[in-house]
Amino acid sequence: MPAQSAPVQPIVFLDTETGGTDPAVFPLLTVGLVTLTEGVLSRPLHLKVRHDTYTVRAEALAVTGIDLVAHHADALPPDAVAQAIREYAAPLGRVMLGGHNFSFDLGFMRRLMPDLYGVFRRGYADTKLSAQFLIHAGLLPRSVGTPLEQLAKHFGVEYGAHDALEDAQATAKVYVKLMELARAGAG
């Protein structure tokens, strides 16, 4: 009888849009989540975070295209966003997170959810780090680079940058392509 392989555990890919680069100064504005299970994306969720005041850099808003007045009207308070993320994760169990250049997003997420590592596992998948590894291993051309936009283009993944949900979905799709490349190189 052939051995059965264990089911692949889902990964929740997450992306944030913020008012700047320092989570101690600038607010988390949006969070996008999508679940990747055995190459299939599901359960997209886009959350907007409301704040009493918004300390933002004009450059950040220009990149994201966020209109703070419209954003504020549709957004939820931080504690409600954190609870929505906990509820999103609950049916999956304590799974791993994934993202692109993910330490940036984690800085903002840990401020939103001090219990982040009680909800999700500590380890995470990072497509930027994975791409760097594959470039060094000679499996991905150095000319591709590691920015998400360049990786998406290389792998033919549609991508409209700087929307948290769109970025999370593109990152998950790029991750699938990177893993396919790694498996082919290992074969």
Side-chain angles (χ1 to χ4, degrees):
M1 180 186 279
Q4 292 184 355
S5 62
V8 176
Q9 190 174 45
I11 300 174
V12 172
F13 279 84
L14 181 148
D15 188 75
T16 63
E17 298 303 334
T18 67
T21 57
D22 184 347
V25 176
F26 299 105
L28 171 62
L29 298 175
T30 63
V31 180
L33 303 103
V34 65
T35 300
L36 175 68
T37 308
E38 298 187 17
V40 177
L41 276 62
S42 63
R43 307 176 64 232
L45 179 63
H46 191 243
L47 300 163
K48 296 178 181 181
V49 187
R50 180 184 313 141
H51 300 277
D52 294 331
T53 58
Y54 294 92
T55 303
V56 297
R57 300 188 80 158
E59 305 87 48
L61 295 182
V63 167
T64 64
I66 294 174
D67 173 330
L68 286 179
V69 173
H71 172 88
H72 189 80
D74 295 337
L76 299 170
D79 59 337
V81 171
Q83 185 57 33
I85 294 169
R86 289 183 196 101
E87 290 170 8
Y88 180 93
L92 300 171
R94 207 162 149 248
V95 299
M96 188 166 62
L97 286 169
H100 187 82
N101 195 27
F102 202 49
S103 61
F104 175 85
D105 301 287
L106 286 173
F108 286 90
M109 290 304 299
R110 284 193 295 261
R111 289 186 69 82
L112 176 70
M113 294 177 64
D115 64 338
L116 184 70
Y117 294 126
V119 176
F120 297 98
R121 291 174 53 196
R122 281 192 181 273
Y124 59 87
D126 187 321
T127 52
K128 180 174 182 169
L129 296 176
S130 298
Q132 287 173 334
F133 175 82
L134 293 173
I135 288 169
H136 289 281
L139 297 173
L140 186 64
R142 183 174 302 281
S143 61
V144 172
T146 60
L148 182 57
E149 185 173 352
Q150 289 174 230
L151 290 166
K153 182 178 179 181
H154 175 76
F155 289 118
V157 172
E158 284 191 41
Y159 176 53
H162 301 299
D163 170 272
L165 180 56
E166 176 75 20
D167 288 2
Q169 291 171 325
T171 300
K173 291 173 184 175
V174 164
Y175 181 79
V176 168
K177 297 294 189 181
L178 290 170
M179 292 305 99
E180 289 172 357
L181 189 58
R183 284 186 195 104

